[in-house]
Amino acid sequence: MALYLGVMSGTSLDGLDIALIENEPRVSLLASHYIPMPETLRLAMLGLCASGPDEIARAALAEAEWVRLAAQGIRHLLDAEGLSPEDIRAIGSHGQTIRHEPARGFTVQIGNPALLVELTGICVVGDFRRRDVAAGGQGAPLVPPFMMRCSTPRASVLQCSMSAASAISA
């Protein structure tokens, strides 16, 4: 059984969605967990969507807080499902988009995969949008390739999160 986690937060900044999926023999959503975004973190992320004073330091601090929140949610989901980090093959983490201008050749997500590895003990794959922009794409949407592989309506509940996890096993 190949188990993966997908982590995603969207432009609404309302929270993080975490999905546990099995990818063999078909993609199946096994469990999910939602964590509301703390208001202080939401405001910090919104403040990073435009240039401002000390934005690199502010981005690093917000990123670390986002990753700690994701790690907390991952631990909660694993505990609820009776799983350990060793049971998970990898985490697909989109991070949080703070600037997205593919016409100018860039997109910026924060999410520090290295810190997420340290906090969870699980391999992390990320930076999906930048890879797509580097290849000449728009960096979005990330969902259609995953949805082509889904076989049940239930699997679409957290399609964005699972898209990340699905991408690393393809």
Side-chain angles (χ1 to χ4, degrees), residues 102 130-139:
R130 287 187 0 166
R131 172 65 181 97
D132 188 59
V133 170
Q138 294 297 304

Side-chain angles (χ1 to χ4, degrees), residues 93-119:
S93 179
H94 170 273
Q96 177 63 53
T97 302
I98 58 172
R99 310 266 174 98
H100 186 67
E101 295 190 39
R104 293 176 61 192
F106 76 89
T107 185
V108 179
Q109 286 71 44
I110 59 177
N112 196 342
L115 180 57
L116 192 54
V117 168
E118 292 301 319
L119 295 177

